[in-house]
Amino acid sequence: MQRLATALDQVNIAVGATVRWLALIMVLVQFGTVVLRYVYGVSFIFLSESVLYLHAALFMLGAGYTLLVDAHVRVDIFYGSLSARKKALIDILGATLFLLPSMLMIAWFSWPSVRNSWAVMEGAISVGGIPASFLLKSLIPAFCGLLVIQGLACLLRDLALYRDRTNAA
């Protein structure tokens, strides 16, 4: 189970290593947009939209990596004081009851919109914008897929930890 979990982790490690550069690109594009607008009085809608696309890609594609490094927001009332085995049980329940079903539902219900967007090669959000809304919508199933992959990796690890009786305290 551990080898499979590690192999699944590699997907989000690779995506995270790539996607992190979108933050720098987004800042540079936004800086350039502000300079063009306020120094030179020129504005381009596609530049403003590109910040939106970069922001969406950063967060949607980075969600699996964030789960991998356990950096998602957690409301910790009792969790921190629990044993490793009890934490694993809570994480198993969370993954099976909430994470995996919600990702599958989001993917299922968003797929017709994504498919239709690709079928017509849906264009720009705004006049003069980036003519690729279909790519933006494609981030939804990618987000779901990456979170399912990471959720399964975490679930495998938690199942192994829960079965391990040495963490019973």
Side-chain angles (χ1 to χ4, degrees), residues 134-156:
F134 61 95
L135 292 176
L136 195 60
K137 288 183 180 181
S138 297
L139 291 172
I140 299 168
F143 162 78
C144 294
L146 291 168
L147 271 174
V148 164
I149 288 168
Q150 196 56 52
L152 289 173
C154 292
L155 183 60
L156 290 172

Side-chain angles (χ1 to χ4, degrees), residues 64-137:
Y65 180 78
T66 305
L67 182 58
L68 168 70
V69 297
D70 198 25
H72 279 275
V73 174
R74 181 188 303 264
V75 179
D76 184 357
I77 298 170
F78 304 109
Y79 186 86
S81 62
L82 297 176
S83 68
R85 190 165 189 259
K86 288 179 182 174
K87 286 179 183 179
L89 178 61
I90 289 172
D91 290 341
I92 290 166
L93 292 172
T96 57
L97 297 176
F98 299 110
L99 176 66
L100 297 175
S102 64
M103 289 301 103
L104 294 174
M105 286 190 63
I106 291 170
W108 177 264
F109 286 109
S110 67
W111 184 250
S113 175
V114 174
R115 185 185 62 233
N116 292 339
S117 186
W118 272 90
V120 298
M121 300 301 279
E122 190 173 359
I125 297 169
S126 305
V127 175
I130 298 170
S133 289
F134 61 95
L135 292 176
L136 195 60
K137 288 183 180 181

Side-chain angles (χ1 to χ4, degrees), residues 4-17:
L4 179 56
T6 301
L8 292 172
D9 285 345
Q10 293 305 312
V11 173
N12 279 302
I13 288 171
V15 171

